[in-house]
């Protein structure tokens, strides 16, 4: 991961990833997805996240290249996505990419909540080490 960043990934069979990324700089965590599709930094997309627990209308923001030249789209609804991931075993995400086209991806969430907690812990420990 990048300097001062910890991340936990769940990858699907298409090579797309759902990620929880935590940064040391602002001490915040973000949920997002990595895609091969191009996007412009700051560009916004609407979507729907469906899990075995619930369905949520989501808004994603392109935050550029992050992993192997893939584009990261970050969820605006961090708390709601975090709750769904922790309560679910599977997730489907449909993102509106054009007027009538959607990009759909599916993920197994087995272990995602635990991996996300590990990412938070890693950033927290790094912050403590910097203090000393």
């Amino acid at each position: 991961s990048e300097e001062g960043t910890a991340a936990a990934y769940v990858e699907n069979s298409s090579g797309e990833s759902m990620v929880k990324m935590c940064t040391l700089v602002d001490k915040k965590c973000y949920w997002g997805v990595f895609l091969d599709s191009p996007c412009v930094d700051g560009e916004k997309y609407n979507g729907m996240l469906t899990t075995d627990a619930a369905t949520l209308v989501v808004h994603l923001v392109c935050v550029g290249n992050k992993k192997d030249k893939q584009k990261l789209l970050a969820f605006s609804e961090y708390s709601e996505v975090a709750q769904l991931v922790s309560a679910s075993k599977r997730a489907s995400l449909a993102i509106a990419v054009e007027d009538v086209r959607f990009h759909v991806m599916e993920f197994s969430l087995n272990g995602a909540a635990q991996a996300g907690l590990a990412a938070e812990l890693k950033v927290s420990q790094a912050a403590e080490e910097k203090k000393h």
Side-chain angles (χ1 to χ4, degrees):
S1 67
E2 296 177 22
E3 182 71 29
T5 302
Y9 300 89
V10 176
E11 195 167 291
N12 66 16
S13 59
S14 300
E16 298 159 324
S17 301
M18 189 171 197
V19 61
K20 180 174 186 177
M21 188 175 294
C22 299
T23 63
L24 181 56
V25 175
D26 60 8
K27 297 184 179 93
K28 289 186 180 179
C29 294
Y30 307 88
W31 277 100
V33 290
F34 282 110
L35 303 173
D36 288 326
S37 306
C39 68
V40 177
D41 280 1
E43 202 167 58
K44 296 178 181 175
Y45 298 87
N46 296 316
M48 186 175 346
L49 179 64
T50 301
T51 71
D52 43 326
T55 297
L56 176 68
V57 172
V58 293
H59 304 90
L60 299 107
V61 179
C62 178
V63 290
N65 293 324
K66 294 289 181 188
K67 174 184 170 246
D68 299 329
K69 298 187 181 180
Q70 287 185 324
K71 303 292 184 181
L72 175 63
L73 296 177
F75 289 98
S76 296
E77 300 80 9
Y78 172 79
S79 297
E80 294 90 339
V81 171
Q83 278 185 315
L84 281 181
V85 168
S86 66
S88 305
K89 294 183 176 146
R90 297 201 54 75
S92 295
L93 176 64
I95 302 171
V97 291
E98 288 180 14
D99 290 340
V100 293
R101 282 192 41 229
F102 287 85
H103 182 85
V104 179
M105 58 199 95
E106 295 182 348
F107 298 97
S108 167
L109 298 176
N110 290 336
Q114 293 83 357
L117 289 173
E120 286 182 40
L121 182 61
K122 185 174 180 180
V123 166
S124 178
Q125 289 171 338
E128 283 300 313
E129 288 173 11
K130 274 196 157 191
K131 287 181 184 177
H132 300 11

